[in-house]
Each structure stands twice: as C-alpha cells, then as structure tokens.
Amino acid sequence: MLFLNRNHRLSEKAIGFDQIDKEWHWDNFIILEASVASILSLINPSVTNLPIWKTSGIISCVIFHIGLSEPLYYWLHRLLHSPYFFQHYHWLHHSSTVNHPFTAGHATFLEHLLLCVIMGVPILGSTLIGHGSVIMFYGYVLVFDFLRCMGHSNIEVVPHHIFKTVPLLKYLIYTPTYHFLHHRDMKTNFCLFMPLFDVFGKTMNEISWDLHREISSNEGKKANAPDFVFLAHVVDVMSSMHVPFVFRSCSSLPYATNIIFFLHWPVAFMVMLIMWAKSKTFLLSFCHLRGRLLQSWVVPRFGFMYFLPSAKDGINRQIEEAILKADRIGVKVLSL
C-alpha cells in the first residue's frame, strides 16, 4: 500500500513481475512444515493428545529457542554464505532484488529442511520433556513464520521509540531494516530474530540502529517527485481486486477472473462505497524507466460512476485536486 508506506520503504526499487514469477512457490516451506508435522503425527500418535495450554511449555519453548535454535541458525547462516554453499544453494534466496514477505520462503529445499530442524527443536524438545501443548505448537509456528515475513518486508514497521524506551529490546528482536542491511551487504546481520547473536559473533552492521531510527521516524525523508503521473480510475469491483496489495498473484494476471474474487466481492463492494464517501486520489504503483520515476495515481471512482450525473462534480473535484497536487510537488507530465 504505497499510499501508506512510501516514506517507510527500505529500497526504492519496485518489485518486478520477474521477481513475482521467481517467488511463485514461496509457500513450499509452509507445505513442508505441514508434511513434516503430519508424518510425526503418524509415527507417534500420542503427540495429537497434547493439552491445549501449558505455561511450562511456553517457557521451555522460549528457552530452547534462545539456547539452541538461535545459535544454530546463526552459524548455519554464516556457513551458507561461504563460497561453496552460497554458490550452490543460498544465492537463490538473495536473487530477489527487493525484499518482500514472500522472499522469506524463496529458498532451496536444503535450506527449507535446515529451517524445519531449527523450528522443530523448541517444539519437539518441549514435547519430549513433557511440556508440550497445542497453543505452544501452533503459536510457535505462527510467530516464527510471522517474524521471518516481517523481517523480509521492504517496509519498516517497528517504531524506533520502542527501542528508545527499552534499549535492551534491540538485542532481542530484529527489524526489517536490520535484515535489509544483511541482504544489501551480505556480510553482516546473520541472526534469526535476535541481534544479540550478531553482537556475540561480531557481525552486527554498525549503522543498523541509526538507519532504523532514520527510516522509522522519517528523519530527513522526503519522497521524490515523479517525473510522470498517469491518473487512472477503477474500472469495476472485480478489477479492483487485481491491485498488488490485495492478491499479488492475481495482479500479475490482470484479465483473468479468479473464483476467489466472487467470495470477496461483497467486501470489495463495501470498500468501494467507503472510497466513494471518504477517499482521495492515492498512489497505486510506480516504476523507473530510463532514470525517470513514473507513478500511477488512482482517482477513487469506479467506471459506472462516470455515467451518474450526480457524481460528475465529485469526479471533477478529485481530478482537479490531483492535478493541483501534482503541480505543487513538481510533477513534469500528468496524463489522464
């Protein structure tokens, strides 16, 4: 949602369709997780009889994670950046030019297996010592995958003032900026989720927290004015669900109607009504062409509204405000 997050973006590059195609099978790791869990359940049916909640299980899971999973991942990650393993395996993960949550799952089968082991240590360890629970199992998996996706976001979502209030916290949880630096230089910030292990291994990037503060707080951040703006409107409710921030996979197939659209049509219709009542022209997408920044802005009006006499004044006002804004920020060319 560029209209919300453009000032918190880490890389100003756009995600191309070639990257979308490369990351098409981002969910392989999720499928592998489910397969491994199913096999374990078949081998040992007793794991399906875990209690719903056990406080001791949560505590033991955290201990196993900090004591085993974090250091194991750190050293395996450093090993994957050695010439042989990077050239044969880890290069695929780093081939994505712009970080995206799906990038977290874009890796080779060997790396997915290693990640399954790292994730399995706290779950199996806690279960084998008699402290397993359903909440621990699903909670750990969900938090693990969420943090990996968050770290691979191209948006800084962790506010800097949290670390200012609790300084110790910046050694216990990483941020998208922190992991972005790893993808940029590939020589620092190897940790799983806890920068503390980069401190121990002397591999923390020195600018990690200064850059995080700068991006999170918008210090000196000013969005570049585009050279060219294409001012468009929404065609209809169905086509509105092709925008990248709704279904990215569907956005790369612009003229195809997916059955999932029919299920979400009522929601999209309600959003249309809200846009009609409240929304202003917003930034939808951008690209760089021969050194020029091109943006697409969307007037929050749908095709059928242009045939409603009562909607004419509102549409004209939206277009006029968009043109004046473009002129004010220094846009050179605007096209309807």
Side-chain angles (χ1 to χ4, degrees), residues 172-187:
L172 302 180
I173 187 70
Y174 76 162
T175 68
T177 302
Y178 191 89
H179 196 66
F180 165 76
L181 288 170
H182 168 73
H183 276 256
R184 192 171 74 176
D185 66 23
M186 294 191 285
K187 296 177 181 178

Side-chain angles (χ1 to χ4, degrees), residues 29-310:
F29 181 60
I30 296 175
I31 296 170
L32 181 63
E33 286 176 328
S35 302
V36 170
S38 299
I39 292 169
L40 289 174
S41 297
L42 290 172
I43 295 174
N44 186 8
S46 63
V47 298
T48 60
N49 299 320
L50 296 174
I52 299 296
W53 172 265
K54 211 169 186 181
T55 304
S56 59
I58 304 297
I59 296 171
S60 65
C61 187
V62 171
I63 292 172
F64 274 115
H65 176 84
I66 297 174
L68 293 175
S69 292
E70 284 282 349
L72 181 60
Y73 178 90
Y74 175 81
W75 288 109
L76 284 174
H77 195 182
R78 290 193 65 173
L79 180 64
L80 286 169
H81 276 263
S82 63
Y84 176 83
F85 284 101
F86 189 87
Q87 183 179 352
H88 288 84
Y89 299 100
H90 199 47
W91 70 270
L92 180 66
H93 179 67
H94 281 274
S95 66
S96 297
T97 54
V98 181
N99 279 1
H100 184 277
F102 289 172
T103 307
H106 186 222
T108 58
F109 184 58
L110 173 64
E111 292 170 283
H112 285 161
L113 286 175
L114 293 174
L115 211 53
C116 262
V117 172
I118 290 164
M119 178 186 279
V121 167
I123 295 172
L124 291 177
S126 298
T127 302
L128 290 174
I129 63 174
H131 297 292
S133 68
V134 174
I135 297 295
M136 179 213 71
F137 184 95
Y138 286 105
Y140 182 75
V141 170
L142 288 170
V143 170
F144 191 97
D145 282 345
F146 170 79
L147 288 176
R148 289 185 69 243
C149 289
M150 183 199 75
H152 285 88
S153 299
N154 191 38
I155 311 298
E156 185 49 74
V157 294
V158 181
H160 175 71
H161 65 77
I162 291 178
F163 299 129
K164 196 172 182 180
T165 305
V166 187
L168 185 64
L169 201 59
K170 66 183 180 182
Y171 298 108
L172 302 180
I173 187 70
Y174 76 162
T175 68
T177 302
Y178 191 89
H179 196 66
F180 165 76
L181 288 170
H182 168 73
H183 276 256
R184 192 171 74 176
D185 66 23
M186 294 191 285
K187 296 177 181 178
T188 57
N189 297 5
F190 291 97
C191 74
L192 178 56
F193 305 133
M194 300 177 67
L196 179 66
F197 290 90
D198 279 308
V199 175
F200 291 153
K202 298 181 180 178
T203 54
M204 178 183 282
N205 193 305
E206 294 178 352
I207 69 169
S208 296
W209 303 115
D210 290 336
L211 183 62
H212 175 262
R213 183 184 66 251
E214 180 184 325
I215 294 175
S216 176
S217 60
N218 277 340
E219 287 183 7
K221 185 86 170 182
K222 186 178 180 181
N224 294 327
D227 298 283
F228 170 80
V229 166
F230 176 62
L231 192 60
H233 66 81
V234 191
V235 178
D236 54 35
V237 176
M238 277 295 194
S239 70
S240 70
M241 288 182 276
H242 278 95
V243 294
F245 59 80
V246 178
F247 298 112
R248 190 175 82 153
S249 57
C250 296
S251 74
S252 61
L253 302 169
Y255 298 107
T257 300
N258 194 305
I259 191 170
I260 199 171
F261 288 175
F262 294 97
L263 301 176
H264 289 84
W265 193 93
V267 177
F269 182 79
M270 291 301 298
V271 171
M272 178 199 71
L273 295 179
I274 295 170
M275 287 173 63
W276 195 356
K278 295 290 185 181
S279 182
K280 295 181 179 180
T281 299
F282 60 90
L283 169 64
L284 176 67
S285 62
F286 73 92
C287 66
H288 291 90
L289 181 63
R290 296 180 180 177
R292 303 288 187 179
L293 176 58
L294 284 62
Q295 292 183 349
S296 293
W297 296 1
V298 176
V299 175
R301 296 295 183 267
F302 287 61
F304 75 90
M305 297 176 186
Y306 283 74
F307 297 94
L308 300 177
S310 59

